[in-house]
Amino acid sequence: MYRPHPFSWVPAAGQRHASTESRPPGGFPTGMAVTVLCGEFLHADNSELAWLWNTCPPCNEKAHLLAGVPLVIQR
């Protein structure tokens, strides 16, 4: 499976998180336990609305570092 970065996004616990765990085809299924970049161990929520949640700031920062893309913070 094509994976442009060493992480995948996974909605869980009210935010979109990033994880370096192997992403199953179709995404992390709802209820699957996943370790995310902010250090939490959470249960995925693969519902349609979950993808609209805000991004976890620590996961976003670590994902940008892994992707080699500077994080632009707008104030």
Side-chain angles (χ1 to χ4, degrees), residues 1 3 8-15 17-36 40-47 50-51 53:
M1 174 195 308
R3 190 173 183 181
S8 298
W9 292 102
V10 54
Q15 293 184 310
H17 294 269
S19 177
T20 56
E21 291 188 17
S22 181
R23 180 181 158 285
F28 295 97
T30 295
M32 181 177 181
V34 181
T35 300
V36 292
E40 297 288 330
F41 187 67
L42 304 172
H43 292 90
D45 181 343
N46 200 5
S47 65
W51 287 101
W53 291 342

Side-chain angles (χ1 to χ4, degrees), residues 48-68:
E48 189 174 316
L49 291 178
W51 287 101
L52 299 175
W53 291 342
N54 288 329
T55 302
C56 168
C59 280
N60 194 32
E61 183 177 336
K62 291 179 181 183
H64 275 79
L65 286 173
L66 287 173

